[in-house]
Amino acid sequence: MKIIRPLLLFSLSIVSVSNLFPRNTFAQEIPQPLGFEEYDPVSTLKVEEHKVTRAKFPFIDVHNHQYQMQTQDLKALVSQMDSLNMGIMINLSGRGWSQEWSEGTATLKGSLENIAKNEPKRIALFTNLQFKGFGDKDWTEKAVKQLEADIKMGAKGLKIYKNLGFSSIKDDKGNRVAVNDSRLDPIWKKCGELKIPVLIHTADVPSFWDPMDRYNERWLELKTHPGRRRGINDPVPFDSLIAEQHYIFKNNPKTIFINAHMGWYPNNLKKLDSLMTALPNMYVEIGAVIAELGRQPRAAKKFFDKWQDKVLFGKDSWVPSEYSTYFRVLETEDEYFPYHKKYHAFWRMYGLGLSDDVLKKLYYKNALTIIPGLDKSLFPK
């Protein structure tokens, strides 16, 4: 019994401990495998933070979209702009999305009237092309006349949506309309004569054409937005679409083109640098690509310093809270901070710390130089 008693006590102690801590308690504390979508670690890095909710200088957003401007409360919109220190908003959707010529004209006219009545200094419109009937023998002549009428009415430039070049725009024979279709040549030339810029969006992120596998940097975006995925020839390879765009730049040297989203080369600034040299009438804007710039702060700063006269501020989607990411990347030297949309950028970013001279050009001076009729009194000299 002297030998058995300690064993019995030991066994009883095991039972009592097991009752206090059920079998699965410790197992439940072990983290289960996570999918990439769920993994969202909180950084333990302690560094200085300068969260900027208002731009250092008043700025012009050259890439914005408002779709109800003919009836919109512009006072409320300008109040939001004021909170960001936005001096002027360029609404690129002047004629809306309709491909009916009369509907587009009514949208543009109503929007311009609302602006003139309520906020004539703070909001400007670009017009758009109506592709209905493209291929008809009189389409080009009609489009040129409509462009002239829209500019006379008050539009400040021409915006080309990305559907040009994709399969959604076809001619009268059912063929895809290429970006450099010769039937569009008179449009580009007329913009040069009218001295208005063309802000053009061609193609999409190159990774959308790549296989959707573990090597694709945009895998999460393609999973959450499957409609953005493209086959290698859907409708043509990325390089072919971009080549069509560059062709019209090269063949219309007297027309100013603003290449949306930095021409989809913000992740290859060496390539973009060579294009800026080869295409002197090409400007770029930074809408929706700030995450690319923020992960290469030294290279991006050198690019902005070199091309400070050719880069404009743009945001694209109207989500006021997201502007702070742009301000922080451009104005501060903060380190290792997140982007506002994980599916766009799972990486961390760094501030470029641009000089005041470069910021002023980016924020408003360059836009005032190439977009006619904007009120310069809203901005510092």
Side-chain angles (χ1 to χ4, degrees):
M1 292 297 294
K2 291 181 180 180
I3 297 175
I4 296 174
R5 183 180 177 85
L7 293 173
L8 180 60
L9 290 172
F10 180 71
S11 65
L12 287 172
S13 67
I14 292 175
V15 171
S16 63
V17 170
S18 66
N19 287 336
L20 290 173
F21 299 97
R23 181 178 180 183
N24 291 331
T25 298
F26 297 107
Q28 290 172 350
E29 293 177 355
I30 299 174
Q32 299 301 308
L34 293 175
F36 177 66
E37 304 96 311
E38 292 80 30
Y39 185 59
D40 192 17
V42 177
S43 174
T44 59
L45 183 66
K46 303 300 180 185
V47 291
E48 287 189 15
E49 294 185 332
H50 305 87
K51 295 182 179 179
V52 186
T53 59
R54 182 178 169 84
K56 187 173 184 179
F57 303 106
F59 68 97
I60 299 171
D61 185 346
V62 304
H63 191 151
N64 207 286
H65 295 284
Q66 303 287 324
Y67 299 106
Q68 302 296 328
M69 192 154 275
Q70 62 269 43
T71 58
Q72 191 171 353
D73 181 352
L74 300 185
K75 299 293 183 184
L77 177 61
V78 167
S79 178
Q80 289 181 297
M81 292 164 54
D82 287 340
S83 70
L84 302 170
N85 203 16
M86 184 189 298
I88 296 176
M89 173 187 286
I90 307 293
N91 178 10
L92 299 178
S93 305
R95 296 181 70 86
W97 284 102
S98 173
Q99 287 305 307
E100 297 293 335
W101 292 71
S102 59
E103 287 183 15
T105 300
T107 297
L108 181 68
K109 185 174 184 293
S111 298
L112 287 169
E113 289 174 349
N114 191 15
I115 292 169
K117 181 179 179 180
N118 293 289
E119 294 293 347
K121 294 185 177 183
R122 303 294 301 279
I123 300 169
L125 295 182
F126 274 30
T127 187
N128 315 107
L129 294 182
Q130 313 281 169
F131 283 97
K132 184 175 182 179
F134 189 89
D136 293 347
K137 63 180 182 179
D138 65 340
W139 184 92
T140 300
E141 181 182 359
K142 184 179 179 181
V144 170
K145 288 182 178 179
Q146 186 67 67
L147 175 64
E148 289 180 299
D150 290 354
I151 300 304
K152 186 176 181 179
M153 197 188 305
K156 307 299 185 186
L158 174 66
K159 165 64 174 18
I160 301 297
Y161 294 120
K162 72 175 182 180
N163 54 358
L164 176 62
F166 284 145
S167 299
S168 57
I169 294 185
K170 300 181 185 298
D171 64 12
D172 56 328
K173 295 182 174 58
N175 298 318
R176 176 186 76 93
V177 178
V179 181
N180 61 343
D181 190 297
S182 61
R183 290 167 286 189
L184 293 168
D185 287 346
I187 299 289
W188 317 132
K189 288 180 172 55
K190 178 56 66 174
C191 288
E193 293 173 10
L194 295 172
K195 300 188 184 306
I196 59 167
V198 179
L199 196 152
I200 180 169
H201 175 170
T202 301
D204 267 325
V205 181
S207 296
F208 291 175
W209 276 263
D210 294 336
M212 189 179 166
D213 56 22
R214 59 179 176 161
Y215 303 109
N216 192 321
E217 201 170 42
R218 294 284 185 144
W219 179 89
L220 183 57
E221 182 172 1
L222 293 174
K223 181 177 181 181
T224 55
H225 299 75
R228 298 180 181 180
R229 187 182 177 190
R230 299 198 169 273
I232 190 170
N233 293 310
D234 179 17
V236 293
F238 170 82
D239 289 342
S240 298
L241 274 172
I242 295 301
E244 291 175 2
Q245 183 200 66
H246 294 171
Y247 179 90
I248 67 169
F249 295 174
K250 188 176 296 184
N251 282 271
N252 294 277
K254 295 182 180 180
T255 302
I256 290 176
F257 292 91
I258 305 171
N259 206 338
H261 314 297
M262 298 187 85
W264 296 125
Y265 284 114
N267 60 340
N268 188 349
L269 294 179
K270 185 176 181 180
K271 171 71 172 179
L272 185 55
D273 176 81
S274 67
L275 291 172
M276 300 291 278
T277 301
L279 303 167
N281 58 329
M282 182 183 80
Y283 290 69
V284 295
E285 59 88 17
I286 63 173
V289 297
I290 197 69
E292 298 290 355
L293 302 171
R295 62 172 171 170
Q296 49 175 336
R298 291 186 290 273
K301 187 175 188 301
K302 289 179 181 178
F303 182 89
F304 277 82
D305 286 344
K306 180 176 180 179
W307 296 106
Q308 58 187 270
D309 297 320
K310 304 293 285 289
V311 186
L312 292 84
F313 184 95
K315 166 70 172 62
D316 198 354
S317 60
W318 176 236
V319 184
S321 62
E322 294 177 354
Y323 281 80
S324 60
T325 305
Y326 286 72
F327 305 152
R328 192 174 183 186
V329 170
L330 298 170
E331 297 181 18
T332 79
E333 293 183 345
D334 282 5
E335 298 182 291
Y336 201 76
F337 55 91
Y339 184 62
H340 50 258
K341 288 180 181 176
K342 183 184 175 184
Y343 72 81
H344 268 176
F346 55 86
W347 53 81
R348 294 297 189 259
M349 299 187 297
Y350 302 80
L352 278 58
L354 297 177
S355 69
D356 285 357
D357 287 343
V358 173
L359 278 174
K360 289 176 182 178
K361 290 180 179 180
L362 170 68
Y363 277 160
Y364 63 91
K365 286 186 176 182
N366 293 341
L368 291 175
T369 299
I370 65 174
I371 302 175
L374 301 183
D375 190 341
K376 298 181 180 181
S377 68
L378 299 172
F379 305 92
K381 292 184 179 179

